[in-house]
Amino acid sequence: MADAGMLRFHVPEPEVRPGGAPDFSNVTLAPAGSVPRPDIDVDPRTIRDMAFSIIRVLNRDGEAVGPWAGLLSSEELLEGLRHMMTLRTFDARMQMAQRQGKTSFYMQHLGEEAVSCAFRKALEPGDMNFPTYRQAGLLIADGYPMVTMMNQIYSNEADPLKGRQLPIMYSSKEHGFFSISGNLATQYIQAVGWAMASAISNDSKIAAAWIGDGSTAESDFHSALVFASTYKAPVVLNVVNNQWAISTFQGIARGGSGTFAARGLGFGIPSLRVDGNDYLAVHAVAKWAAERARSNLGPTLVEYVTYRAGAHSSSDDPSAYRPKTESDAWPLGDPVMRLKNHLIQLGVWSDERHAQAEAEILDTVIAAQKEAESHGTLHAGGKPSTREMFEGVFAEMPAHLRRQRQQAGV
Amino acid sequence: MPRRTMIEAIRDAMDVSMRRDDNVVVFGEDVGFFGGVFRCTQGLQAKYGKSRCFDAPINESGIVGSAIGMAAYGLKPCVEIQFADYMYPAYDQLTQEAARLRYRSNGDFTCPIVVRMPTGGGIFGGQTHSQSPEALFTHVSGLKTVVPSNPHDAKGLLIAAIEDPDPVIFLEPKRLYNGPFDGHHGRPVTPWSKHELGEVADGHYTVPLGKAAIRRAGSAVTVLAYGTMVYVAQAAAEETGIDAEIIDLRTLLPLDLDTIVASVKKTGRCVIVHEATLTSGFGAELSALVQENCFYHLQAPVARVAGWDTPYPHAQEWDYFPGPARVGRALVETMEA
């Protein structure tokens, strides 16, 4: 009671700022293999501690250990490695293209490749993701053509979205990738609605909602939890905690206690945390949650603990708000290297084959880029017709838009 | 032909639509078991089951956001926001999500939802149960905005809205739910059962979106109105004896500009009446359109009669609400200009 009468305003701060030594001592890591794997019909009340622990499969020696291991074959893991390497190479080329003025904007996945690439492989055809801007791995891992992704980034004449969306805001119903909104968290409740519709229709498809740690502060995150728990919607509620919402550290959205996963507990939603840099762990947890949803057991909240090694976007400078070497100090390592080491440990991969794969993937991405650029880039070559600007506002163009199109001379 | 209240007509529209199309679902706050606070959905849950008509949490953004997801899946949600005044938490979902989904995905995903909400004053609802937010929707690319003025239109327009492939905002003037209104709060209201516009055909019919109706033919001045104000305008015309042509817009967007322009070119005068606040109200858009399209035919300035630029007051609502006297003064001044 010493300070009674003198209130102090509290603003959370990260452990360190630029110039300081990176410090992740607050990230408590459970040893790989130590977190149990409950049955999918578990009573959520009995697994409350899983909202505070971290499910990990790969240990420091590159071995897959514990009850969440053993779900993927070597071939599937090699495919997963290739997906992550492809996404990383794709990112690097597109980031460079942005610097060269070929597009206005780009957002990388550096350090987070495992989250979307591994999750995609836990879904079935027809399931629907409601992603943020940092889940392009869902498309890469589903075989969506890279050339089409680049056409969208370049807003060129072959852009399937006709130049109407920011780069990286892809849309593909066929590949289970909902149109991305620039407004944060809006898609979270939409995913729940989609899942409710699947249940109403007695379908077997499920939805996956995606959100970043910072956007969990948005009202629609909480709306989604209310609706998902109320109607036991067949949805996987994903929270990608990559530590930073542009320059704002995750403690601002989370507050000083609990975890993002713990937000599901009050709703009676099984809530798990998983090592987001561990391809095997992400896949295993995604599979568990997807199976729950498909078995009419309702939603699962999954927090992926990871680190955004790159900038938020091509417009961001992370050195202004965090130590430059912080990503090197991230205790969960690099997802590509960890899976690579695991495959070497299994005897199905080598440094030589990895280097060869890197070269092959780079060639493939460069070839795709050349093809995309043959259709134009943002400021050069072919671009969508101005006439397209007036199309698609409504199913049928109303008279006032027709008049405006005529005034525009198109 | 049976006569129904607007509430019954709206309920009938949903009933017909749900019977014809299994993909039509209805939900919102108190909408399921209770049938809605105005009873517009009464009986639908019992008839179609809880998966087709159900109660929603008190979360407007959640109602509209989940409806968008359902529509993207392939359902046709017709949701209720309990009062138009409550739609502000859902405004982001309505204007930046529902309105743009078709455009931003180039038709990959579409959003055929209907968002019903009781609008307007005249029931002593105070500031948060009386608002008329139509201009907030008509300003948004990708939304259609409908305001019926009678049971026949309400049913036909709502069925058309549910069948429409795009998102439709359906504003229901709550002052008209049980009977028409002539603007004189002291007079007894004629129930729809004694009014010819209460005649609502059984079964399926539509009133097309984007088509206005001429409620009263005239040659001296054109009055543009919608919802409750159609009746206020009619009373004003009768009480002043001015030969006014009253156009009930029915759909604000897309707007039936052809009918408006033809009428104003014929009469040479135009008075616009709406209940929402004057400044930047939909009347401003109408006035601009009339000026742009009919300038050389106008014999008087375009006049606007609207709610005052104040929040909607409780005790003074009959001073706020445009009545026949105010509309009548505008008609006389326009004729004398």
Side-chain angles (χ1 to χ4, degrees):
Chain A
M1 298 296 286
D3 290 333
M6 180 87 82
L7 297 172
R8 290 188 304 274
F9 180 55
H10 171 69
V11 180
E13 277 293 326
E15 299 295 327
V16 288
R17 284 298 192 186
D23 179 7
F24 286 111
S25 58
N26 60 337
V27 180
T28 307
L29 298 180
S34 65
V35 177
R37 184 175 190 276
D39 292 335
I40 57 168
D41 60 351
V42 65
D43 181 343
R45 290 171 298 183
T46 65
I47 58 165
R48 291 176 66 87
D49 58 337
M50 293 184 79
F52 300 93
S53 184
I54 297 182
I55 297 165
R56 303 172 65 214
V57 172
L58 292 174
N59 67 17
R60 287 181 181 280
D61 298 323
E63 298 165 328
V65 296
W68 295 88
L71 297 180
L72 291 166
S73 67
S74 297
E75 290 72 27
E76 288 169 322
L77 291 172
L78 285 166
E79 185 192 31
L81 180 66
R82 185 167 283 270
H83 290 152
M84 289 198 289
M85 291 169 72
T86 302
L87 179 56
R88 187 166 290 189
T89 308
F90 181 95
D91 270 348
R93 295 294 302 185
M94 291 296 99
Q95 177 83 359
M96 196 188 309
Q98 190 276 334
R99 297 299 189 225
Q100 292 167 339
K102 293 175 180 174
T103 186
S104 59
F105 180 75
Y106 191 69
M107 303 183 93
Q108 296 184 89
H109 303 70
L110 191 64
E112 300 178 47
E113 292 88 347
V115 175
S116 51
C117 289
F119 188 90
R120 177 68 248 190
K121 303 310 285 185
L123 295 181
E124 299 288 337
D127 294 341
M128 185 62 68
N129 286 284
F130 287 73
T132 79
Y133 40 71
R134 225 181 297 280
Q135 275 89 44
L138 296 169
L139 290 172
I140 296 276
D142 200 50
Y144 188 70
M146 272 191 291
V147 176
T148 311
M149 294 170 74
M150 290 170 173
N151 288 335
Q152 199 280 319
I153 290 165
Y154 287 143
S155 293
N156 64 21
E157 64 189 6
D159 172 8
L161 306 183
K162 309 296 182 190
R164 295 171 186 157
Q165 277 273 57
L166 269 178
I168 61 86
M169 291 197 176
Y170 317 103
S171 173
S172 175
K173 190 173 188 177
E174 185 187 351
H175 287 267
F177 194 95
F178 190 71
S179 160
I180 295 179
S181 173
N183 287 25
L184 300 176
T186 51
Q187 76 284 356
Y188 220 65
I189 176 66
Q190 292 164 11
V192 176
W194 196 98
M196 290 164 65
S198 184
I200 287 169
S201 305
N202 302 127
D203 201 346
S204 60
K205 301 184 191 103
I206 64 168
W210 293 88
I211 200 167
D213 49 274
S215 301
T216 59
E218 292 278 10
S219 302
D220 279 342
F221 170 71
H222 302 270
S223 301
L225 293 183
V226 171
F227 277 65
S229 65
T230 297
Y231 300 110
K232 296 194 185 306
V235 60
V236 183
L237 300 162
N238 296 308
V239 178
V240 182
N241 175 7
N242 69 8
Q243 312 300 318
W244 292 95
I246 307 186
S247 71
T248 305
F249 92 115
Q250 48 88 17
I252 290 285
R254 181 177 55 81
S257 60
T259 64
F260 291 104
R263 299 202 163 168
L265 297 180
F267 294 89
I269 297 174
S271 304
L272 290 69
R273 294 177 92 212
V274 59
D275 177 347
N277 290 20
D278 180 339
Y279 185 94
L280 285 81
V282 169
H283 175 268
V285 170
K287 193 98 180 156
W288 188 86
E291 208 177 321
R292 284 194 80 255
R294 222 179 294 281
S295 304
N296 251 329
L297 294 165
T300 306
L301 177 62
V302 182
E303 177 185 345
Y304 303 85
V305 182
T306 184
Y307 185 87
R308 193 196 76 214
H312 166 72
S313 74
S314 54
S315 306
D316 176 39
D317 174 15
S319 70
Y321 53 81
R322 66 187 190 188
K324 281 184 179 173
T325 56
E326 192 175 77
S327 66
D328 298 332
W330 175 242
L332 293 171
D334 175 88
V336 175
M337 296 310 293
R338 286 176 69 189
L339 184 54
K340 174 194 165 192
N341 292 338
H342 175 58
L343 289 165
I344 291 173
Q345 195 271 340
L346 285 179
V348 298
W349 199 238
S350 66
D351 284 323
E352 294 72 30
R353 291 174 74 178
H354 193 83
Q356 189 183 353
E358 281 182 328
E360 286 170 7
I361 289 167
L362 180 60
D363 285 348
T364 307
V365 173
I366 288 174
Q369 189 175 2
K370 280 183 179 163
E371 186 182 339
E373 290 181 7
S374 74
H375 297 291
T377 58
L378 181 61
H379 299 300
K383 60 186 285 190
S385 152
T386 306
R387 190 183 172 88
E388 293 285 357
M389 187 170 76
F390 294 93
E391 303 284 346
V393 180
F394 297 98
E396 190 177 333
M397 188 178 290
H400 71 284
L401 267 178
R402 273 204 307 279
R403 283 193 294 273
Q404 289 176 20
R405 190 184 65 191
Q406 286 159 2
Q407 285 169 13
V410 291
Chain B
M1 196 179 293
R3 288 189 176 177
R4 295 182 169 95
T5 66
M6 191 185 279
I7 290 169
E8 291 164 342
I10 287 166
R11 183 190 305 144
D12 194 26
M14 287 185 273
D15 190 359
V16 167
S17 299
M18 293 174 85
R19 189 164 62 240
R20 284 169 61 93
D21 185 350
D22 288 344
N23 288 320
V24 177
V25 294
V26 169
F27 64 100
E29 294 153 13
D30 298 303
V31 160
F33 182 80
F34 189 49
V37 292
F38 290 102
R39 305 294 188 276
C40 287
T41 58
Q42 193 169 43
L44 296 179
Q45 184 175 82
K47 194 166 181 179
Y48 295 101
K50 286 200 283 189
S51 67
R52 301 277 310 277
C53 177
F54 53 91
D55 291 315
I58 301 174
N59 186 319
E60 288 77 13
S61 185
I63 290 168
V64 176
S66 61
I68 292 168
M70 289 181 194
Y73 174 90
L75 299 186
K76 294 179 82 68
C78 176
V79 302
E80 178 176 302
I81 299 296
Q82 203 160 77
F83 286 86
D85 316 65
Y86 300 169
M87 69 85 195
Y88 296 94
Y91 193 65
D92 184 42
Q93 290 283 355
L94 285 168
T95 59
Q96 306 206 61
E97 301 295 323
R100 298 180 187 172
L101 188 54
R102 175 188 296 279
Y103 189 75
R104 78 182 197 212
S105 69
N106 193 32
D108 201 17
F109 297 95
T110 60
C111 191
I113 65 172
V114 177
V115 183
R116 296 177 36 242
M117 50 185 99
T119 186
I123 62 158
F124 289 102
Q127 292 173 36
T128 54
H129 298 76
S130 306
Q131 294 171 52
S132 298
E134 60 270 18
L136 299 179
F137 298 118
T138 55
H139 187 61
V140 177
S141 307
L143 293 179
K144 295 179 179 177
T145 301
V146 177
V147 190
S149 68
N150 60 71
H152 171 269
D153 284 0
K155 178 177 173 181
L157 287 166
L158 182 53
I159 293 175
I162 291 170
E163 293 174 357
D164 196 274
D166 291 308
V168 180
I169 307 296
F170 197 84
L171 295 165
E172 300 166 6
K174 59 179 99 62
R175 188 63 189 76
L176 303 181
Y177 267 154
N178 289 303
F181 172 63
D182 66 5
H184 297 282
H185 63 276
R187 291 188 198 165
V189 172
T190 309
W192 285 117
S193 59
K194 294 183 179 170
H195 196 287
E196 62 182 19
L197 285 173
E199 291 185 350
V200 176
D202 288 328
H204 179 271
Y205 71 88
T206 60
V207 173
L209 306 187
K211 295 287 178 198
I214 297 175
R215 293 289 168 215
R216 182 186 198 274
S219 59
V221 55
T222 299
V223 181
L224 305 180
Y226 49 93
T228 311
M229 289 301 115
V230 170
Y231 302 93
V232 175
Q234 284 176 328
E238 285 158 18
E239 289 167 23
T240 57
I242 292 171
D243 185 20
E245 179 150 290
I246 297 173
I247 298 178
D248 177 357
L249 298 178
R250 301 201 288 201
T251 306
L252 306 189
L253 199 142
L255 183 69
D256 186 356
L257 187 60
D258 291 345
T259 297
I260 295 170
V261 169
S263 177
V264 176
K265 283 184 174 176
K266 180 180 74 177
T267 63
R269 290 179 165 83
C270 182
V271 172
I272 297 161
V273 189
H274 63 64
E275 194 180 328
T277 50
L278 179 74
T279 302
S280 298
F282 190 66
E285 177 64 26
L286 292 171
S287 177
L289 285 169
V290 168
Q291 190 275 143
E292 286 169 9
N293 289 277
C294 310
F295 182 78
Y296 294 108
H297 294 79
L298 286 173
Q299 298 169 48
V302 176
R304 287 184 291 162
V305 182
W308 308 115
D309 285 345
T310 70
Y312 204 103
H314 178 241
Q316 304 95 335
E317 81 168 354
W318 297 107
D319 299 313
Y320 179 92
F321 208 94
R326 280 175 61 197
V327 177
R329 274 200 300 279
L331 289 174
V332 169
E333 287 170 9
T334 299
M335 291 308 299
E336 291 174 349

